[in-house]
Amino acid sequence: MAEVPVFAVVGHPNEGKSSVVSTLTEDDRVPVSAVPGETLACTPYAIEVDGEVLVRFIDTPGFQMPQQTLRWMQQYTGPPEQMTAEFIRTHEGDARFADDCELLRPVAQNAGIVYVVDGSRPLRPNDQAEMEILRLTGRPRMAVINPKADETAYLAEWKAAFAKTFNANLQFNAHRATFHERITLLKALQYIEQDWGRSLARVVSALQDDWRVRLEASADAVLHLLDRALTLTLSETSEGEDPAARQAVRDRLIVAYQGKLNTLEQECRKNLKARFLHNKFNADLVAETVAAKDLFAEETWQVLGLTRKQLSLALAGAGAAFGAAVDGAAAGTTFGIFTLGGGLAGGLAGWSGTRPLSRLKVDLGPFSRELGGCRVQVGPLRNPQLMFVLLDRALIYFQCVSNWAHARREEAALQLPEGKQGVTAGWDGSRRRMFEQFQVALQKGYGDKAEALKPKLRAVLRDAMSAELSPREE
Amino acid sequence: MPRNFPSEWSIGDLVDLEYFLFQDAEADGSELARRDRAWYLAHLSDQERPLSRRLLLRRWLELRRAAARDQGVHSPGEVIAAVLRPARLLLFFLGALFGFGLALGVLGYAGEQPINLFAALGLLAVLPFLFMLASVVLPLVRLARRRTPAGRLGFWLTGALLARLAGRAHAFLGGRGAGRQQLALTQAWGVLRGRGGLYAGVMGWLAYGLMQLTALGFSLGVLLGVLLRGTIADLAFSWQTTARISAEQVHALVGALARPWAGFFDPPLSHPTLEQIAGSRVYLKEGLAPLVSSDLQSWWYFLLWAILVYAVLPRLLLVGVALWGGRRAERRLGFQDARCEALIRRMQHPQVRLGQEGEGPQRETGASRVLPETAQAGFARLHVLVPAELLERPAADRLPEEVRQEFSAAPQAVLGVSLDEIQDAEALRGLAELGEDCAVLMLLEGWQPCIIATLEYLKSLRRHLGPQRLLVVGLIGREAPGRWGTPTPDAEFEIWRKRLAALGDPGLLVHNWGGAAHG
């Protein structure tokens, strides 16, 4: 018990103790309820590194008899270090004190204290009694302000009260805490008891390592998605020579192509979600976010991906690249006409490029006797907008799952700023160009070029992911 | 609706009242207020003089039953009444059967050995007499302590047994599958049975009556058994003893026992003569040969008299007492508890509508006015207890006025408390001296969780107030500009209501500030 730091997360009923434990330990199996007094027994939740428990947080029931408990402690005259244990011994048989005995049990066994309060409400005599009880236990303690509503009028009052009683205090919204805020809390705990510093420092560095690994894996998942999506091709043979039948096959393939892209995106999301231990997180994405909308909805292509101007440039670049290939093939005899022409054509196409499925390659081959029909091929989608839309959607999704505090079980409404709502439109040209090159390399079948680009792309994605564009909540 | 229906409350009526109050507790407050007010104005207030509380509630119950009947719902009161009558008969006959069996068993005489007189007398007359004494003394003690004559056994009789029967009957009458109704029935019966609760007296006397009826059946069964055995067979009684007891002493004892009926009949019809007593004594070593048959038979009359006077008549008397006690307990029902109080107020409270005409749901408010006499008995003045920190709210000076608006009752005093029994000792002691017409209003913040300490504080309030006085818990929300109290959100109010219901305090009214009250 002594070498593993244990923290009892205590407080008044319904202040969000279970939520804090859930978010700190990334465990969304911690029961969280809006009805006060749902936690009846102490339940430990651990942070393990390589199978070794480095810190434990104990979810406890709330104080039920704070004034009476304090009165008993103030009248206690025995040895101070025995006080908590003596309190439990004295009141164990009294049903009224069942919760108070239960929550003080870990404290009697030398746990540290994390005192959780809802900072959006005023301070009451019961709270003062609770703080005094914790002070009398003599255990190292930190106060955590977990505001349940957007009310800041009482914060100063709370902080003044904490100053008298606690070694440290900080604000930690269990329902919105990001990874970095979790780390901040764990770091703060290092300083309330020296003996635990090393253990907690290990936890912090292990979590940071772990976070980096998660980012790497997430970036890989996104690149894998691009890899598959940008080279996606579906083909089928249309029997006979009837053009109407051919059209029908073509239409069916386009639908199937969209469905396949959707499936690829879902796989990527599943992959991302698994990195963040969300057992219960089924709000696959908040209904209001653009990323939750259909991949091929007009609006998606309007608000994600690149702006018209950026897209024109991208397409011009891509067109020029294709043109340059033709010029190259003609060994310079074309004086770069194709490069220029391709660039111009691409630039013009940029104005229509924000429409989904624009520049989708659809090949209706001629009738061939061997096939007994003709080959219809759909894909790949040459429009760079697809790549940027996929990137944006993946990054938004990532932000949601990675910072989706584990205490939050409801579907919150996220709203992104007006205008272009993705991340990629805000990137500088060099980053965008790297991805454009990646696309061209993939679609022209230069696998080695694409592979060579991957480490740089991974770095770009890592940066984008750790930038934590916390979406604002409504 | 008949204009001259009874004003008595039968057990069935009480069950129905509880049943309907329980159903209403789940319903929307403003809807109830509209309904009850409309009934009051249409049927209950057009009298020359205002109805008493008992009568008002009784008539409201009839209206409520009629409304339920229109919806094709059986009220459980009918079921209970239907179950009670056969239950009484059943218990009576069971007792009789048992007594008859016992008598036949004790008087099993085949002619070889006369029946031991002391054993027969002890089992058939003295033992029932002792039981009868116990059922006089124990209830007296209980009445003094708990206002109810029945103990555990009695409550089992009226509880487990009757509830089970009633449940079966209810299901049989078509209440099958109606889970909510079943729940309400169980709840109603539960409230009625609650020991030390509102109806402890009525239910206790009912249980007591059932037990006396069973015992009367038993005594009559014994009497019938002895009579029948003696009529159709030749019975021989003898007495024997190792102690130095002479026939004269036995004669004296028997004479003393027979004093109540010795005035009407002479020996040997009232009790055996000294010669007969001496002649029916058995000395085992001498055998039965010297005994004379007429001496041995002379005891039969005495035994019959003893059973009649010491077992049957007292029980008959006690059945009478139980009936009288039940009547009296029924007459003493005050219907002062919080839910009845809320119902009376709903009926006698004018509905004031605020806002535009033709708007959707209207906010109900209590208008200040002089309450009718019946309601004033409940509370016309309020002794207000407020957590001290709430008196520091900027709008605290508006508190008395808002209380007046909220309850149409004048705040008699406003006291700051700390919600801690020991710190508030003085304030709590003062509660015992409140006037008859004064209720206590305890204001609490509804956004706070209801912790055990709060429940303990309310229990101690009840201890200081005595069982009868109305205690209103007013739940207020956060302060708003220009108002001292605001309503508690429904979800929070609901959680409070459930927690406070666990106190089982019939005199506790939970009131949402600016909203509805619930008992």
Side-chain angles (χ1 to χ4, degrees):
Chain A
M1 218 45 189
E3 53 278 7
V4 178
V6 178
F7 292 95
V9 181
V10 302
H12 206 61
N14 218 21
E15 299 285 273
K17 298 181 288 297
S18 300
S19 300
V20 168
V21 172
S22 171
T23 298
L24 271 180
T25 57
E26 288 199 26
D27 191 336
D28 46 18
R29 284 163 311 182
V30 181
V32 171
S33 157
V35 179
E38 290 285 286
T39 309
L40 296 172
C42 286
T43 319
Y45 294 89
I47 296 182
E48 291 182 19
V49 174
D50 298 335
E52 183 191 354
V53 173
L54 287 186
V55 60
R56 274 199 186 87
F57 290 96
I58 300 186
D59 188 20
T60 65
F63 282 96
Q64 291 286 345
M65 300 281 276
Q67 309 269 6
Q68 293 79 351
T69 303
L70 177 62
R71 191 173 304 120
W72 184 92
M73 287 184 170
Q74 285 169 332
Q75 289 164 353
Y76 173 78
T77 52
E81 68 279 4
Q82 292 292 316
M83 182 190 72
T84 314
E86 189 54 41
F87 172 83
I88 294 167
R89 245 197 311 281
T90 312
H91 294 86
E92 224 156 12
D94 189 338
R96 295 171 309 162
F97 287 90
D99 283 7
D100 304 72
C101 287
E102 183 68 15
L103 77 95
L104 286 171
R105 213 157 268 146
V107 178
Q109 292 163 349
N110 293 335
I113 293 168
V114 175
Y115 179 60
V116 180
V117 301
D118 169 10
S120 64
R121 63 170 187 85
L123 187 72
R124 289 287 175 251
N126 278 333
D127 305 310
Q128 281 158 331
E130 286 162 16
M131 290 186 217
E132 187 57 16
I133 290 168
L134 298 179
R135 190 183 70 79
L136 290 174
T137 63
R139 298 302 304 149
R141 55 203 171 273
M142 181 168 91
V144 168
I145 301 174
N146 170 37
K148 289 181 125 180
D150 290 328
E151 172 67 70
T152 53
Y154 306 107
L155 281 179
E157 186 184 13
W158 280 109
K159 286 186 170 162
F162 292 152
K164 299 174 202 161
T165 326
F166 290 90
N167 314 64
N169 75 73
L170 61 84
Q171 239 170 299
F172 179 82
N173 185 328
H175 289 269
R176 295 184 209 170
T178 62
F179 168 76
H180 294 287
E181 284 165 337
R182 291 209 291 275
I183 292 287
T184 308
L185 201 157
L186 289 166
K187 277 184 177 166
L189 287 175
Q190 291 180 42
Y191 303 110
I192 67 169
E193 169 71 46
Q194 239 175 342
D195 297 350
W196 295 336
R198 214 139 60 93
S199 221
L200 283 163
R202 275 182 66 198
V203 170
V204 168
S205 77
L207 284 182
Q208 283 170 329
D209 264 355
D210 180 49
W211 184 253
R212 270 191 294 277
V213 170
R214 290 188 206 185
L215 287 187
E216 288 282 336
S218 304
D220 272 338
V222 174
L223 286 177
H224 182 70
L225 166 70
L226 292 185
D227 211 330
R228 304 274 309 275
L230 297 179
T231 54
L232 180 63
T233 311
L234 298 179
S235 63
E236 204 178 298
T237 308
S238 164
E239 315 224 333
E241 281 185 271
D242 179 16
R246 242 191 298 177
Q247 280 299 334
V249 171
R250 166 185 168 276
D251 293 346
R252 199 177 56 245
L253 277 183
I254 291 177
V255 173
Y257 177 85
Q258 295 182 35
K260 182 73 184 155
L261 273 183
N262 268 322
T263 312
L264 289 174
E265 199 185 29
Q266 290 304 330
E267 278 171 18
C268 171
R269 287 181 178 189
K270 224 157 93 183
N271 212 331
L272 291 177
K273 196 166 98 174
R275 306 260 155 235
F276 294 93
L277 318 176
H278 283 289
N279 306 317
K280 287 190 186 171
F281 176 60
N282 282 326
D284 238 349
L285 246 200
V286 187
E288 272 70 15
T289 57
V290 180
K293 284 206 167 59
D294 179 38
L295 173 60
F296 290 96
E298 285 275 350
E299 196 193 345
T300 307
W301 287 56
Q302 294 289 343
V303 297
L304 296 180
L306 304 185
T307 60
R308 277 225 167 98
K309 193 172 148 201
Q310 290 169 333
L311 195 59
S312 297
L313 284 173
L315 278 165
F322 277 93
V326 178
D327 289 335
T333 50
T334 47
F335 307 105
I337 287 286
F338 281 93
T339 311
L340 190 66
L344 276 174
L348 286 172
W351 295 103
S352 62
T354 54
R355 283 209 323 274
L357 296 182
S358 66
R359 297 176 63 83
L360 173 63
K361 187 165 174 256
V362 179
D363 222 348
L364 299 174
F367 176 77
S368 88
R369 215 169 286 284
E370 296 82 56
L371 291 172
C374 67
R375 202 158 155 280
V376 182
Q377 182 186 326
V378 169
L381 185 53
R382 285 260 168 78
N383 189 348
Q385 188 69 336
L386 169 69
M387 175 175 60
F388 288 110
V389 167
L390 284 173
L391 269 175
D392 272 340
R393 283 163 65 92
L395 288 171
I396 290 176
Y397 186 85
F398 171 86
Q399 280 156 18
C400 280
V401 286
S402 66
N403 287 325
W404 188 280
H406 285 68
R408 180 147 107 190
R409 311 286 159 79
E410 79 286 10
E411 298 189 24
L414 292 169
Q415 219 183 6
L416 292 159
E418 287 299 304
K420 271 294 173 192
Q421 299 180 355
V423 189
T424 50
W427 284 354
D428 55 25
S430 64
R431 283 187 185 192
R432 286 205 311 271
R433 263 193 300 283
M434 239 187 286
F435 277 92
E436 288 154 18
Q437 285 165 9
F438 181 62
Q439 182 182 4
V440 170
L442 281 175
Q443 291 180 339
K444 292 186 63 121
Y446 304 150
D448 49 345
K449 260 192 190 169
E451 277 306 314
L453 278 169
K454 272 190 179 175
K456 284 186 192 166
L457 298 181
R458 204 176 285 124
V460 170
L461 285 175
R462 254 204 331 266
D463 285 353
M465 285 172 174
S466 51
E468 290 205 2
L469 298 181
S470 295
R472 281 180 300 129
E473 214 174 313
E474 260 183 349
Chain B
M1 206 187 79
R3 296 199 55 85
N4 51 348
F5 52 78
S7 63
E8 291 90 59
W9 285 86
S10 68
I11 295 280
D13 298 333
L14 292 176
V15 171
D16 274 353
L17 177 69
E18 280 301 325
Y19 172 76
F20 289 129
L21 285 176
F22 178 73
Q23 285 197 330
D24 285 356
E26 301 294 305
D28 171 34
S30 58
E31 195 51 49
L32 289 182
R34 260 194 291 280
R35 179 199 69 193
D36 293 333
R37 180 68 182 162
W39 282 355
Y40 179 77
L41 292 176
H43 306 287
L44 309 173
S45 65
D46 57 349
Q47 316 288 334
E48 291 293 302
R49 50 198 175 80
L51 294 172
S52 72
R53 179 176 281 247
R54 284 173 65 86
L55 216 55
L56 191 58
L57 288 172
R58 188 73 183 75
R59 299 202 174 185
W60 174 87
L61 180 66
E62 288 302 326
L63 289 168
R64 191 85 174 70
R65 271 179 179 157
R69 264 197 302 274
D70 293 345
Q71 294 172 349
V73 180
H74 274 285
S75 69
E78 301 168 28
V79 181
I80 295 287
V83 165
L84 261 178
R85 214 163 304 125
R88 285 196 178 106
L89 276 175
L90 182 77
L91 285 169
F92 179 80
F93 280 116
L94 277 175
L97 202 64
F98 192 66
F100 189 74
L102 181 75
L104 293 192
V106 170
L107 304 182
Y109 168 64
E112 292 124 29
Q113 277 276 359
I115 299 156
N116 185 326
L117 170 76
F118 291 146
L121 197 63
L123 282 172
L124 303 181
V126 179
L127 202 63
F129 180 72
L130 289 178
F131 275 127
M132 190 275 301
L133 279 185
S135 64
V136 170
V137 175
L138 283 177
L140 280 177
V141 174
R142 287 198 202 108
L143 273 174
R145 279 170 46 188
R146 285 206 306 266
R147 295 180 299 125
T148 170
R152 270 174 209 287
L153 177 66
F155 276 97
W156 174 83
L157 262 181
T158 50
L161 193 68
L162 278 180
R164 206 158 296 165
L165 284 171
R168 289 269 157 77
H170 190 247
F172 181 73
L173 286 174
R176 227 188 320 267
R180 287 225 36 75
Q181 277 188 46
Q182 192 64 34
L183 179 70
L185 170 68
T186 325
Q187 167 82 9
W189 195 246
V191 171
L192 243 65
R193 291 181 52 218
R195 299 176 66 177
L198 290 174
Y199 306 105
V202 177
M203 294 305 281
W205 282 110
L206 172 72
Y208 187 69
L210 287 175
M211 287 162 77
Q212 296 319 310
L213 203 64
T214 313
L216 178 68
F218 173 83
S219 306
L220 283 171
V222 169
L223 188 68
L224 191 69
V226 175
L227 194 67
L228 212 62
R229 281 287 292 162
T231 312
I232 61 170
D234 166 26
L235 288 181
F237 296 91
S238 68
W239 61 284
Q240 42 189 293
T241 175
T242 320
R244 294 186 160 205
I245 295 172
S246 63
E248 284 79 12
Q249 284 167 314
V250 174
H251 182 252
L253 172 74
V254 168
L257 284 177
R259 193 153 298 157
W261 61 87
F264 306 102
F265 294 92
D266 291 326
L269 284 182
S270 64
H271 58 284
T273 59
L274 181 57
E275 297 77 34
Q276 287 172 325
I277 290 177
S280 60
R281 180 165 186 173
V282 170
Y283 295 96
L284 285 179
K285 68 176 178 57
E286 292 172 10
L288 305 176
L291 300 178
V292 184
S293 286
S294 62
D295 292 348
L296 301 181
Q297 291 158 352
S298 65
W299 285 104
W300 182 59
Y301 292 105
F302 171 73
L303 190 62
L304 280 175
W305 277 116
I307 292 169
L308 180 68
V309 170
Y310 291 113
V312 177
L313 290 179
R315 286 296 183 181
L316 209 53
L317 197 68
L318 286 182
V319 169
V321 168
L323 283 175
W324 171 82
R327 229 15 83 70
R328 184 164 163 274
E330 178 266 317
R331 271 198 296 272
R332 286 177 57 182
L333 283 175
F335 301 103
Q336 298 282 1
D337 64 295
R339 292 148 327 133
C340 294
E341 181 65 45
L343 171 57
I344 296 272
R345 290 172 64 76
R346 282 204 299 271
M347 289 198 269
Q348 299 183 326
H349 228 54
Q351 290 215 303
V352 178
R353 294 165 42 146
L354 297 177
Q356 274 180 297
E357 268 189 289
E359 269 191 351
Q362 301 290 348
R363 196 158 68 84
E364 317 286 343
T365 71
S368 307
R369 73 193 250 292
V370 180
L371 291 172
E373 216 171 316
T374 43
Q376 281 205 353
F379 70 90
R381 289 181 304 133
L382 278 169
H383 186 83
V384 188
L385 303 176
V386 195
E389 62 269 16
L390 299 189
L391 287 175
E392 291 161 18
R393 283 184 172 188
D397 55 336
R398 290 190 39 77
L399 171 63
E401 181 48 37
E402 286 190 25
V403 168
R404 192 170 296 118
Q405 282 176 7
E406 192 72 22
F407 295 97
S408 319
Q412 172 184 288
V414 177
L415 278 189
V417 291
S418 69
L419 298 183
D420 179 77
E421 207 179 333
I422 293 179
Q423 291 179 50
D424 294 340
E426 205 170 318
L428 291 176
R429 267 198 301 277
L431 294 176
E433 279 109 59
L434 291 179
E436 276 295 304
D437 62 342
C438 188
V440 172
L441 168 64
M442 176 76 241
L443 289 170
L444 293 169
E445 289 175 296
W447 55 262
Q448 293 210 47
C450 177
I451 58 175
I452 291 175
T454 314
L455 295 177
E456 289 296 316
Y457 189 77
L458 290 172
K459 281 186 201 167
S460 78
L461 267 181
R462 172 53 68 207
R463 277 196 300 275
H464 284 88
L465 288 171
Q468 299 295 340
R469 192 181 301 278
L470 189 70
L471 169 60
V472 185
V473 172
L475 292 171
I476 53 165
R478 309 195 178 206
E479 63 189 307
R483 264 188 75 75
W484 182 83
T486 53
T488 295
D490 285 346
E492 287 169 359
F493 179 70
E494 208 43 44
I495 293 170
W496 268 91
R497 208 159 68 80
K498 286 193 175 119
R499 291 281 321 240
L500 293 178
L503 286 174
D505 182 344
L508 183 83
L509 186 71
V510 191
H511 179 93
N512 195 352
W513 197 265
H518 295 267

